[in-house]
């Protein structure tokens, strides 16, 4: 009985130790960070509390570096000694590389930056920053605004219109609108426009004036010239790996009809299991143990995380180049095609000189897209993840179906493109032959919705092995074919009117 | 060791005390409520269990009143002595103000009401009831059914159609349909239509016959003449503050394309953080501590709750007039405009005599909307909430963008309105000039969808600093411009047909 | 004090016993299953871990059989002795009835099946398998592919199109597309196409080649001739009752605009309460105790689960024939009508010989649908569930409104059908009179969307006593009437063109 009692007491001790662990011995704050907190704790209590909940507030780089390689959350081989023995606080991040930061400024005796950029985060997380720089997402700003076709689309969508002689005339570009629409996800170009002084509760203070700020878009151009924002996914000051691993993070930008990844995931088998059982999952463990930490994958599982078996055998390496395991760029522009070779698409041109990696009939432009061997390699990496739970036959057939769906949706986009070309040819709308914006007329929008919404939706439903209705009645094949009828009827109707109507 | 042991034992005690707290000493039930429970526990076990989980079942008004003011959940200065020392049970609520209740009836020796109205809840929660009566939501019934334009819209949408000579003729109004559609959220008018006797498992019993019941709409007209339903948000018999603070409650009515607040929230940064981390939040604490109880706001955080810093400094006062911190009425009718002065809109008329707080070109009608000073005051209150986590620059720019988006979406609504007016002028559709319903033709619906769905969606995406696609491809600017093309093409096409076609 | 201490120690013991319960004494594995696990634990760690979390891995049929009848999770009266004393492992399920399985094959000395079918699950769960065979869902494959009208719809939606003389010509059927679209939910026909040998990490092995696999559709035709897939809802190897009881499972197939049950549920009062408070619910208890285990119903609560009061009185029996408590088939084809008598619809014909249980004016075909008495019986069973929380008046009025909504949406479908018939009559589109596909022209799709999307959505919103906007602005009455205008305008416009245009 005495033995049992002592065992119980020990168990109780362990239990309470585990419970109170998070409030255990606290690591040291730098004196600079202590100063930051002195004011900001009162000014922005939510922000500070959020950081206090982060791992950054509770651990030091020195402690992070000594972990076993597979469990390590920092990837830089060495971290500056001066940073190693304090927790990662306000000053530690906001004071990095101030000379390269156009947004640096004097603040209560310290030189700090408004924005912490991926190059700053690279201090401790260099491998992730490097991988992310090869991720097409980090180039999302330039890939959008430097592409003449996309510029036409954003103008047609975002700019105002005014009527002149009963025709709609496209108005000017409007920066604030750009920031809220396309660039909310793609990222803005943050530029310093001088300094401004204002009264604060701590007296008069001077701050940089930033154009394009706030923004956490994935391809943000930072005032140090770097690209991207780690906070797109590791949001705000909690820098949570749990958040980045949950699909809600991805849903911020991948829910719209153009890339309905989250909507599809939600009604896929994977999404159902996640939604039903995620309360039992551990989203914080590194490495992430398949089966033990979770049973259904989230976006991060298949596209980013370091995955191991319960025996710590590596299933997939961590990657922040999220197309590492992706053979295809599903998102059609206007056709789905093998992933671009380069994340920066500024030099991509097809044989007509259009900034597209495909010809207008859907043929990929060979030099701009990865070849079959690379596609096979990427598929192989992805199938290793699938194999955690699925037989070879299962996943092989899955990818066969996906390939078929890509081909079929491209086919129907091709038919639609031919109809639109006839419409342009007949001068029933003004597009490529007329050198006009190809997104600002009703018939052009019918064509656009076919590939931008319905073909994409259908392909995402296929890629996630489910999401049935997003391939059928919810922006799927039903809507594809309906728009195809409308587009073809538009041409036939305009032609028949022209033939039948008396010339004035 | 002995000391350690006794400490552990004490910890264990505290732990179990905490765990079993909810089942601790029970407060007294009134004998009337005990009688209710005797039968209803068997009849409606879910309903009773739900009440048993509520705070009402476990605490007395006397205990609630002695709490420190900032933590108090009752706001009435005094509560009738007879109610103070029993828990808030069935009889305590359903027996209030029976003389004012047309729905009161004799039931097993007690006179009780079917419906507990906001005026009944005011017994303990008088401040909230008073605030809510100034909330535009409490007038949602009259603001809808007494507005001739809205009446036309509901008729065009809800009533049946029959064909006569190949034209569609609008049928009669249908009450049951009204209850299920617009009035589900706006609230019904609950009227007593006599009494009916029926066999029950306890013998023959008599109950009031209620027209428009059941309903929990926010502007319900109750049989005591009061307006609204506290159970719209504090649902059923659990009266949960947790539920009211979670965004799912708001989503019941604010998810549709006309007010897509919840859809936008879900894919905003705030929504992402909430969805990812809410399992760590405390939704029950009063006051609600920013940073400690939660790190991302829900709808209630910004629009309703009493918020304090971890040091118990008040960030925002509790309000049940949810536009207290809102400068604009984003919801366009058909233009977004400064919030109406009065929650009851029955006297609102523009210069054309239409029941709108704006002219047809978007100019607000000055006497019906709040002025710049009041707008600034409301913005200031809201920015105090933002400041919990965001810098002044951050939130200032946010509101600048929102103002810009309001102006831009109003502009495009104005262009659309001019086109529709030309369509009416040309007799290609029948609207204001013809004295006809302005919502029952295809061209009119193109116009309606621009402001009711797409401009609203774009504004909500802006207001929540995110929800990117709800401002772009998901009922956003893409759809706005597409409908604008369609509307303008409709006019041009009808005109060209008229010009070209031989007169018969 | 000593007594208190011993009590505490005992409490602690109970507490830890409860906590570590799941890792307690393990039940025996069969040697065959042990062999399976030896390899598959390394090959498919996620799959094995998922099974390890299942009840199947921790209990034996013998232990399951001795539970009190009301708590029992197996329904077969007797289970083969050879299976009783080992846990339900790989071999126990995959080796059943091999002689009836066309997909059985030799695998490392054992004869096993790829697919575990409902007839295999019936070994222990015979009552559920039998009920499910009478569920319309189990016939979802044949009810779709053997119905000539549905075949036309799937062809128009799924097949490719090519232009010939500027007309769209429907291409061939494509199996892979079928598997990903309609049959993803309805189920495929899984057929064995021989054997294939391939290299594996354990050397050369031979597996069956399966056409139509993978698939977990509700009406899957299995290689043993059985129909359905228990894993549609009790997903993968966790076989979780919790998952099947949560609405996410149903959402896989019931979220599209044709059957938006989950979307409606989400914004209903029931869905709000579930979303807000489900962390307090127990989804695993059998029987499921209303009030104690949950306060808001999920799909399973109303349509499937065995429900009891806290006093263990039965409120509703468990059923896997999910229309057991449903008087109406809400899903219109094209009209909502009383539920079909038979789950297998292959013999259903109306007076025109069309494979529909209704005439074209909406009148049900009496011999194919349940009669009023059976409808009343089903409503009575459902109302018993409602009565857990709602008064008789409340639920009576709810069902009155639903009946009204069914009548009204059928009426408007009828008006639309008459317009379409006039369009066909005028040869402005080609449908029934021309013996043509009735789903492959723009006007036909206007008609289709009225009943398939908008009338269904409106009815689901009504049936779930909420989801307001799905009956109004979100695929509801607003869209119904808009499409009705479009359809009628189409006819009038085509007629007016014909009358006015000079004949060539």
């Amino acid at each position: 009985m005495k033995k049992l009692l002592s065992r119980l007491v020990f168990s109780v001790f362990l239990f309470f130790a585990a419970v109170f662990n998070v409030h255990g011995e606290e690591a040291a704050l730098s004196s600079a960070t202590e100063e930051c907190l002195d004011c900001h704790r009162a000014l922005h209590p939510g922000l500070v509390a959020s950081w206090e909940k982060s791992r950054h507030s509770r651990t030091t780089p020195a402690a992070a570096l000594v972990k076993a390689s597979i469990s390590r959350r920092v990837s830089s081989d060495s971290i500056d000694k001066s940073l190693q023995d304090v927790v990662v606080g306000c000053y530690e991040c906001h004071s990095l590389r101030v000379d390269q930061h156009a947004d640096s400024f004097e603040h209560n005796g310290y030189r700090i930056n408004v924005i912490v950029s991926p190059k700053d985060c690279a201090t401790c997380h260099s491998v992730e920053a490097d991988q992310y720089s090869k991720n097409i997402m980090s180039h999302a700003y330039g890939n959008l605004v430097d592409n003449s076709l996309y510029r036409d689309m954003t103008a047609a969508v975002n700019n105002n219109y005014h009527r002149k002689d009963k025709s709609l005339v496209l108005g000017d570009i409007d920066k604030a609108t750009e920031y809220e629409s396309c660039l909310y996800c793609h990222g803005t170009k943050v530029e310093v426009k001088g300094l401004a002084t204002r009264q604060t509760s701590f007296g008069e203070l001077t701050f940089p004036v930033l154009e394009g700020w706030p923004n956490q878009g994935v391809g943000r151009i930072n005032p140090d010239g770097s690209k991207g924002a780690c906070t797109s996914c590791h949001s705000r000051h909690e820098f949570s790996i749990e958040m980045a691993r949950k699909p809600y993070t991805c849903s911020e930008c991948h829910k719209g009809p153009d890339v309905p990844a989250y909507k599809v995931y939600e009604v896929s088998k994977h999404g159902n299991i996640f939604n039903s059982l995620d309360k039992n999952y551990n989203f914080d463990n590194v490495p992430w143990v398949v089966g033990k930490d979770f049973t259904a994958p989230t976006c991060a599982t298949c596209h980013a995380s370091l995955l191991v078996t319960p025996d710590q055998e590596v299933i997939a390496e961590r990657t922040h180049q999220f197309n590492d395991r992706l053979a295809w760029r599903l998102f059609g522009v206007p056709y789905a095609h093998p992933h671009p070779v380069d994340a920066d698409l500024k030099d991509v041109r097809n044989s007509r000189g259009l900034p597209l990696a495909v010809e207008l009939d859907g043929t990929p432009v060979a030099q701009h897209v990865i070849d079959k061997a690379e596609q096979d390699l990427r598929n192989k990496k992805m199938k290793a993840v699938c194999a955690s739970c699925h037989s070879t036959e299962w996943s092989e057939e899955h990818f066969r179906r996906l390939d078929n769906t890509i081909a079929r949706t491209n086919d129907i986009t091709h038919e639609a493109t031919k109809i639109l070309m006839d419409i342009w040819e007949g001068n029933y709308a003004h597009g490529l032959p007329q050198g006009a914006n190809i997104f600002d007329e009703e018939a052009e929008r019918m064509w656009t919705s076919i590939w931008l919404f319905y073909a994409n939706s259908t392909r995402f439903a296929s890629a996630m092995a489910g999401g049935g209705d997003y391939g059928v009645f919810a922006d799927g094949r039903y809507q594809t074919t309906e728009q195809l009828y409308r587009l073809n009827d538009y041409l036939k109707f305009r032609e028949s009117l022209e033939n039948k109507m008396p010339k004035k």
Side-chain angles (χ1 to χ4, degrees), chain A:
Chain A
M1 173 67 200
K2 202 179 154 191
K3 206 168 161 187
L4 177 66
L5 180 67
S6 75
R7 261 190 208 162
L8 271 168
V9 165
F10 186 64
S11 304
V12 170
F13 177 79
L14 287 180
F15 176 75
F16 280 90
V19 166
F20 294 113
N21 187 12
V22 295
H23 304 117
E25 195 182 342
E26 272 175 31
L29 294 174
S30 70
S31 62
T33 288
E34 264 181 39
E35 263 191 77
C36 303
L37 293 172
D38 278 351
C39 298
H40 284 277
R41 197 185 297 280
L43 279 174
H44 308 303
L47 187 159
V48 170
S50 160
W51 170 77
E52 285 173 335
K53 286 175 184 168
S54 77
R55 182 172 295 267
H56 278 176
S57 79
R58 301 191 317 263
T59 195
T60 62
L65 276 168
V66 297
K67 287 203 170 180
S69 159
I70 203 163
S71 308
R72 205 175 290 160
R73 288 161 198 259
V74 294
S75 59
S76 301
D77 286 333
S78 66
I79 298 172
D80 196 279
K81 266 288 168 199
S82 68
L83 293 167
Q84 284 208 15
D85 296 319
V86 289
V87 302
V88 187
C90 321
Y91 185 73
E92 284 63 41
C93 296
H94 283 273
S95 70
L96 292 167
R97 305 167 55 254
V98 284
D99 295 339
Q100 279 112 301
H101 269 268
D103 59 324
S104 74
F105 67 111
E106 291 294 324
H107 188 59
N108 292 321
Y110 294 101
R111 187 150 195 91
I112 57 164
N113 312 313
V114 176
I115 290 176
V116 180
S117 82
K119 282 200 179 158
D120 300 327
C121 299
T123 304
C124 297
H125 306 281
S126 57
V127 172
E128 289 71 31
D130 185 55
Q131 288 170 338
Y132 189 72
S133 73
K134 294 173 201 144
N135 187 343
I136 200 165
M137 288 161 71
S138 69
H139 293 267
Y141 176 82
N143 286 349
L144 182 79
V145 303
D146 298 337
N147 181 308
S148 60
L149 285 176
Y150 280 159
R151 266 205 315 272
D152 279 357
M153 183 188 270
T154 58
V157 168
N158 285 330
N159 296 11
N160 256 9
Y161 285 85
H162 293 282
R163 282 212 300 169
K164 195 176 162 185
D165 306 332
K166 300 209 168 162
S167 282
L168 291 165
V169 180
L170 198 55
D172 282 341
I173 195 166
D174 163 33
K175 281 196 167 189
T177 298
E178 295 291 312
Y179 297 157
E180 291 206 326
S181 55
C182 310
L183 301 183
Y184 175 79
C185 287
H186 280 253
T188 57
K189 183 171 190 175
V190 182
E191 291 176 295
V192 180
K193 303 287 187 187
L195 293 165
T197 299
R198 61 173 172 82
Q199 274 303 327
T200 75
S201 40
F202 295 89
E204 207 168 65
L205 286 171
T206 298
F207 303 95
V209 178
L210 299 181
E211 174 71 32
W213 180 252
N215 178 268
Q216 293 81 42
V218 294
R220 191 179 68 202
I221 308 296
N222 299 304
D224 65 351
S226 68
K227 289 173 179 159
C230 301
T231 50
S232 304
C233 304
H234 302 276
S235 287
R236 301 290 296 153
H237 294 86
E238 220 152 334
F239 313 106
S240 162
I241 195 170
E242 169 156 12
M243 203 187 299
R245 280 173 170 176
K246 285 191 173 168
Y248 313 113
T249 290
C250 309
S251 84
E252 281 191 50
C253 295
H254 295 247
K255 199 184 180 186
D258 53 328
V259 275
Y262 177 71
K263 288 200 294 189
V264 167
Y265 175 76
E266 241 189 336
V267 295
S268 72
K269 184 66 80 187
H270 290 157
N272 167 19
I273 303 177
F274 162 78
N275 274 320
S276 297
L277 304 179
D278 73 320
K279 65 170 203 283
N280 306 321
Y281 292 2
N282 179 348
F283 286 94
D284 188 56
N285 206 18
V286 171
W288 214 11
V289 186
V290 171
K292 184 170 160 285
D293 291 333
F294 63 91
T295 49
T298 64
C299 315
T301 314
C302 299
H303 299 296
S305 296
L306 167 62
L307 305 176
V308 301
T309 69
D311 299 332
Q312 303 277 308
E313 262 185 77
V314 173
I315 294 168
E317 297 286 352
R318 181 187 296 120
T319 179
H320 279 66
Q321 181 188 343
F322 303 133
N323 52 347
D324 243 6
R325 307 175 196 159
L326 290 177
W328 294 95
R329 188 173 197 202
L330 289 188
F331 180 76
V333 278
Y335 298 95
H337 56 70
H339 242 285
V341 173
D342 208 326
D344 183 341
L345 304 176
K346 70 172 172 297
D347 297 326
V348 168
R349 292 292 178 284
N350 69 12
S351 68
R352 290 176 75 128
L354 296 169
L356 299 172
V358 288
E359 303 299 342
L360 287 186
D361 66 357
T363 314
V365 183
Q367 82 256 38
H368 294 310
V369 301
I370 60 173
D371 60 17
K372 185 70 173 49
E374 175 67 17
Q375 282 195 299
D376 288 347
L377 185 70
R378 294 186 181 192
N379 270 338
K380 199 181 152 196
K381 285 196 242 172
M382 183 62 98
K383 286 175 188 169
V385 179
C386 306
S388 303
C389 300
H390 298 290
S391 73
T392 304
E393 282 71 21
W394 184 295
S395 51
E396 287 297 329
E397 175 62 11
H398 165 68
F399 284 97
R400 253 194 301 275
R401 289 181 191 170
L402 174 57
D403 285 353
N404 179 68
T405 294
I406 291 170
R408 299 290 299 250
T409 50
N410 277 351
D411 271 0
I412 216 157
T413 299
H414 188 200
E415 292 306 310
T417 305
K418 287 190 286 186
I419 300 171
L420 182 63
M421 283 172 148
D422 284 353
I423 289 172
W424 285 334
E425 220 52 61
N427 252 312
Y428 307 124
H430 304 93
L432 289 181
Q434 292 85 3
N437 188 318
I438 66 172
F439 300 106
D440 67 349
E441 294 182 74
E442 197 183 339
E444 292 167 343
R445 288 289 177 93
M446 294 178 201
W447 170 76
T448 305
S449 67
I450 286 176
W451 56 267
L452 184 62
F453 300 154
Y454 311 136
N456 276 338
S457 189
T458 302
R459 286 188 289 257
F460 276 99
S462 172
M464 273 185 258
D469 255 315
Y470 291 103
V472 191
F473 291 135
D475 289 350
R477 293 169 179 92
Y478 182 96
Q479 282 73 22
T480 305
T481 49
E482 182 172 301
Q483 283 293 61
L484 196 71
Y485 306 154
R486 283 186 67 206
L487 188 62
N488 205 48
D489 283 2
Y490 185 90
L491 173 61
K492 284 165 77 173
F493 178 67
R494 291 294 299 265
E495 284 182 338
S496 95
L497 266 191
E498 188 166 277
N499 293 336
K500 286 187 186 164
M501 294 246 256
K503 310 291 178 204
K504 274 187 102 172

